[in-house]
Amino acid sequence: MTLEGALETTADGARDAVLFVFTVTNTGDEPVELSFTDGCKAEFVLVDDGNEVWRFSDGRMFAQVLSSAELDPGETTTYEAEWSDPDPGEYTAIATLQARKRDCEATTTVTVVE
């Protein structure tokens, strides 16, 4: 059971925001069960020179509801987030799947211009 992640970012100057799309793909030959303990299915973090500058879950509350989803072989699912009013700079964006007993992470570089 193998999960592979990909992270895409788009700086939306019209909305003054950075949009994140985290795609998780089951690259294995068997279905994979994803179990979640709350409404936060993926975490998104921005880092600048090793210092965390933004975290999607900061200041947010998530429903404490158990849920699950199954990914068949070759199937993908996506999780999205938005960073509003970002500061200009170059950052490392990290997305992490929040499913229990499943590891999947993706990183990319995002540049925010004035």
Side-chain angles (χ1 to χ4, degrees), residues 32-107:
V32 174
E33 184 78 19
L34 303 177
S35 298
F36 301 97
T37 58
D38 64 25
C40 185
K41 308 284 194 273
E43 180 66 273
F44 298 85
V45 177
L46 279 146
V47 177
D48 181 18
D49 289 327
N51 297 312
E52 185 176 304
V53 295
W54 179 81
R55 177 175 290 269
F56 173 71
S57 63
D58 277 356
R60 298 176 190 266
M61 297 184 69
F62 298 95
Q64 300 297 306
V65 177
L66 297 177
S67 64
S68 64
E70 185 173 275
L71 282 182
D72 289 326
E75 188 176 9
T76 64
T77 188
T78 59
Y79 305 98
E80 299 180 3
E82 179 179 302
W83 180 26
S84 299
D85 197 25
D87 292 326
E90 185 171 288
Y91 305 96
T92 300
I94 306 163
T96 307
L97 184 67
Q98 297 297 93
R100 293 178 49 213
K101 300 181 183 179
R102 301 284 180 213
D103 293 323
C104 186
E105 184 176 281
T107 63

Side-chain angles (χ1 to χ4, degrees), residues 10-20 81-86 110 112:
T10 305
D12 186 346
R15 292 178 37 193
D16 199 24
V18 176
L19 309 173
F20 302 92
E82 179 179 302
W83 180 26
S84 299
D85 197 25
V110 61
V112 177

